[in-house]
Amino acid sequence: MASPAPRVDYLAAFRCPLGGPAAGKPHVLCRGAELFVSTGRELVYVYDQEGRLLTAAYRLPGQVWHLELSRPRRTLYVLCARKGIYGLALGQASRSVSQGDGEDRDSEDSANGEPPCTVIPVDPEACILPNTTLCAFTVVDNMLVTLVQGPARWKVQLFECPRPGNDARPGGQVGEVELSTSSPLAGTLGEPAAPRSLPVLCCVSPPGSSALHGHVRGSGGFTLEQALFGLLFGVDASLLESPVIVCGLPDGQLCCVVLKTLVTSRLSPGDPKALVKILHHLEEPVVFIGALKTESSAEDTHPDCLVALGHHGRILAIRASWAEVGNLVPDLRECRLPGPVLCAACGAGGRVYYSTPSELCVVDLAAGGAPWRPEQPDGGPGGLPSPLCPTSLGICSVVTLSVLSEMPEGGARLLALSAGGRLMICSLALTSDAPCPGRATVANSGQKIKELLCDIGTVSERVSSLKKAVDQRNKTLTCLNEAMNVSCILLASREGPRPISCTTSTAWSRLQLRDVLTATLRLQNDSGFRLDRGWALCVQVLTSSQAPDPDVAGSATTYTIPVDQLGPGDRREVTLPLGPGEDGALDLPVTVSCALHYSLREVVGEALAPSESFKDSCLDEGPPAVLPEQDGICLPLSEHTVDLLQCLRFPGLAAPHTQAASLLGPACDPVDTFLGALLGPHGEPAEPASLWAKFLPPSVATIKVSAELLRAALGPSHSATSLCCATLQWLLAENTALEAVRTRPLSSIQGVAPDGTEVHLTIREVTVTQVCAAGPLQAVEIQVESSSLATLCKAHHAVIGRLQRMVVQQAAQSCSPPDIRVQYLRQIHANHEALLQEVQTLRDRLCTEDEASSCTTAEKLLQVYRQLRSPSLLLV
């Protein structure tokens, strides 16, 4: 085939979606002098070839996937992603503009070099067929054929085609059939996943059918010769003279449905699988279906070859051929072309034009382009050409293509849209293999100039793509610089107030008819930096282990909360449940650890991803594996321990704003409820805690603290109240009932633990005579009393923890302790050693005794534990 000499005429430039038109669904249609262009955005442009200007633009509510133009109805049908099909009456465009309905200027496009044009917002009422799963459609006469993605299969649905306008209503459904699929569609149950590539839908008619009357170039429809039509679609389609819907699916299947059998399927229902015929399987996504004429014949001017093209370059051509026995059979030929294929179009002379990311090529399927199989003696059709050799046209970056017209001597005018959004007409004229010597130099010079211009366009496209990549990486570097600054200020301020802090407070809430302890975390940004994309607040909730083995760790739950747009001075609050769990138990203490996490994979991965405009949209390629395994930065902020003192509730004195409005406590045990009901009429207390108190003596633990040490720790802020009241307020400082406690001069209080048992805190002043050699010492005794030994241990542990932190803080301030009698301390230590030895002996005895003897041993062990909980030591 002679090499073509293209001439490119640039018409206009349009803005493209992020990632280039290949990331969207570009489309071009021609109706006379009017061109309808979609770049994959939400706009459909109307371009006048004669005036060489944009006349209008329709703004759809979402990304445009497909266009169809019906001349008899003077209607442009638009498929909007995840919305449905919209019908635009073209005759009303000028009238709508003159009336000023929604008239504005596409200022965003104008600022990017695109000529301003009138933008007509499309009314939501223009949606003639709303459907969120609709992926392709075509218009056949007065019918609307759609391809819908179901949860597991594709569906072909047939509707009556309504006219757009104020009275437009979705047409009634005429028929429906499911297509078989070789691989199930990915997605959650009942909800299909978004397709990686859209299917292809077209209408094939037999000669003499009026189904495609009024179709324009670029629409999905064509007519096949009678012989090939009958071989492909069967006798029924030929006898009925019915159009056939051919579907090319993303999994590579090429199947068909006879339209008239689909219409009558509801009247005479049968096996739905009989309505669908699988023609072939390309084993790659189908991107184009068309037809062309491979033989010059005066008898039949209709195309005699069906062509299907896959995304990775596999081309299928089907013709009618003579078998050895003398009958016609379908002859299928598959070849592999350089891919990936972005778009394609069929032209005259058996030529197929197709575009790859690097070039626009043409391949010849006509009889003159390659050797043919021997024909029948009577001049019948022969076979398909031998392996194809595509020829480059010297044009790059074409993402959608349509044949405008055929030129003399085998040339063609192609309407194309480039990756940069440039609309152009490519005039292809075949040059002679032996040019005239006098004109050879001029022709060569012109050809070289055109090649240079084409190379300049290619370089311009690459420069634009590289510029986008550089801008993206600059933004990423800016984000990394901010992350480094935040890391430095947090690591440098480990002592003292932190510029970014996270505080934790607890409160009881009523959720789903039960009380739940919640933790409220307040992330405060007092730094001069902004926490943007990539930052997340990680919260780990670690509960204590209830196992007898101290080496067994408790359970941990981690929450990750994205932190987006947290500027200087901003605060973000998060509330998380702490318990109790499904079993009604709350394992205390609970440690809440907060940290800031910065995801390098989220921020840097996008910059490292391929930035070419033509990356394969059918493959989900993630960023290259150049990031380390630890793909983030973790910066600890705070650690807060929630103990029993913070979880106590005081129904008798709680203020309305500090406690739950209806404090019912945890769920009661059915046995306790039954016993309480029996004892209630006799005047006995009916609560479970009272029952435990009746049958089991309470456990008591005491701690003595030097009054001087407490006054120094509490400071002058508590000088207005007595030392006992101030000590009680200090112990309950992190409880939500603190304000209610402050309003009353209390030195003793009774609360309810999360498990429903009562806890009694008593603070009193005592005098210790045997500790100090100089004389008696004033001390404060903190007594914890509860009927539950487990609750007593948790409360005792909480009090000891507060006192330990207080002693460490006062020791750092170099407070001199009083003169202590060493002999007295030695005696107390010896007594404790004896008690611990007795505990070990009793525990060993429990392992060997029978049930009767073990009860006595257990009682003695409990008495020893009570003595250990009330030592004679004094914290000074």
Side-chain angles (χ1 to χ4, degrees), residues 21 342 355-360 395-400 416-422 424 457-458 461-462 614:
L342 302 179
S355 175
T356 67
S358 59
E359 58 185 349
L360 178 65
I395 302 173
C396 64
S397 308
V398 173
V399 292
T400 186
L417 185 69
S418 72
R422 304 178 73 179
M424 53 189 173
T458 303
E461 295 286 345
R462 291 178 179 175
F614 302 104

Side-chain angles (χ1 to χ4, degrees), residues 74-274:
R74 297 181 56 81
T75 302
L76 179 67
Y77 296 96
V78 183
L79 173 57
C80 201
R82 299 304 183 190
K83 300 291 183 182
I85 300 176
Y86 290 76
L88 309 179
L90 300 178
Q92 299 176 358
S94 59
R95 182 162 65 253
S96 299
V97 174
S98 62
Q99 292 174 355
D101 295 338
E103 182 178 350
D104 60 359
R105 295 287 174 179
D106 195 355
S107 57
E108 183 183 2
D109 292 344
S110 303
N112 288 270
E114 184 172 313
C117 62
T118 302
V119 177
I120 306 172
V122 177
D123 196 281
E125 296 181 357
C127 185
I128 62 174
L129 186 61
N131 193 334
T132 59
T133 60
L134 203 152
C135 295
F137 78 96
T138 187
V139 179
V140 182
D141 199 9
N142 62 342
M143 293 292 177
L144 187 63
V145 186
T146 64
L147 188 60
V148 175
Q149 183 186 15
R153 293 174 179 268
W154 295 92
K155 292 182 181 180
V156 175
Q157 296 178 341
L158 187 62
F159 298 88
E160 295 178 359
C161 191
R163 278 188 172 275
N166 297 330
D167 58 345
R169 294 292 184 272
Q173 184 170 342
V174 178
E176 176 182 289
V177 66
E178 287 187 346
L179 304 180
S180 62
T181 177
S182 61
S183 58
L185 302 178
T188 58
L189 184 61
E191 180 181 353
R196 293 182 177 180
S197 65
L198 291 180
V200 180
L201 198 66
C202 66
C203 176
V204 182
S205 297
S209 174
S210 61
L212 298 180
H213 177 67
H215 269 242
V216 298
R217 287 187 179 270
S219 297
F222 49 84
T223 301
L224 282 182
E225 68 169 4
Q226 189 64 50
L228 181 59
F229 186 88
L231 287 173
L232 287 178
F233 310 123
V235 179
D236 292 341
S238 298
L239 293 177
L240 294 173
E241 293 186 352
S242 169
V244 176
I245 302 301
V246 180
C247 308
L249 302 181
D251 66 351
Q253 282 194 87
L254 200 64
C255 52
C256 64
V257 180
V258 179
L259 196 60
K260 288 188 178 180
T261 60
L262 184 60
V263 172
T264 59
S265 61
R266 287 194 171 184
L267 301 178
S268 57
D271 185 8
K273 296 181 180 179

Side-chain angles (χ1 to χ4, degrees), residues 642-847:
V642 181
D643 53 30
L644 185 71
L645 292 181
Q646 300 178 39
C647 303
L648 287 178
R649 290 174 288 179
F650 308 97
L653 55 83
H657 66 279
T658 57
Q659 294 289 329
S662 178
L663 185 59
L664 301 179
C668 298
D669 187 88
V671 177
D672 293 333
T673 305
F674 175 70
L675 293 176
L678 292 178
L679 296 175
H682 301 286
E684 297 292 338
E687 284 82 4
S690 301
L691 296 176
W692 285 107
K694 179 178 180 64
F695 296 107
L696 185 68
S699 301
V700 179
T702 58
I703 307 100
K704 295 185 179 67
V705 189
S706 168
E708 182 181 356
L709 179 63
L710 276 175
R711 289 191 185 95
L714 297 178
S717 60
H718 295 82
S719 58
T721 60
S722 65
L723 185 59
C724 294
C725 296
T727 303
L728 181 63
Q729 295 174 14
W730 173 71
L731 290 175
L732 301 177
E734 295 177 318
N735 195 293
T736 55
L738 177 63
E739 295 299 327
V741 174
R742 285 178 175 174
T743 58
R744 307 179 187 183
L746 298 176
S747 60
S748 177
I749 194 169
Q750 185 168 339
V752 179
D755 60 355
T757 57
E758 293 183 353
V759 178
H760 194 189
L761 290 176
T762 303
I763 315 295
R764 63 171 65 93
E765 293 192 40
V766 295
T767 302
V768 181
T769 58
Q770 300 178 356
V771 176
C772 185
L777 279 180
Q778 294 297 319
V780 172
E781 182 184 75
I782 303 173
Q783 178 177 297
V784 183
E785 181 179 344
S786 178
S787 59
S788 170
L789 184 60
T791 303
L792 177 75
C793 294
K794 293 177 182 179
H796 188 230
H797 180 272
V799 173
I800 291 295
R802 283 164 171 73
L803 294 176
Q804 284 178 342
R805 291 191 292 272
M806 180 190 69
V807 170
V808 171
Q809 292 175 359
Q810 294 303 311
Q813 299 177 5
S814 301
C815 297
S816 57
D819 187 12
I820 304 298
R821 294 176 58 186
V822 179
Q823 185 63 31
Y824 179 74
L825 293 180
R826 289 177 178 174
Q827 183 63 39
I828 293 177
H829 179 70
N831 293 340
H832 275 262
E833 287 291 336
L835 290 175
L836 291 175
Q837 185 64 34
E838 187 176 357
V839 166
Q840 186 63 40
T841 303
L842 292 174
R843 293 183 64 177
D844 295 340
R845 189 186 302 171
L846 281 174
C847 300

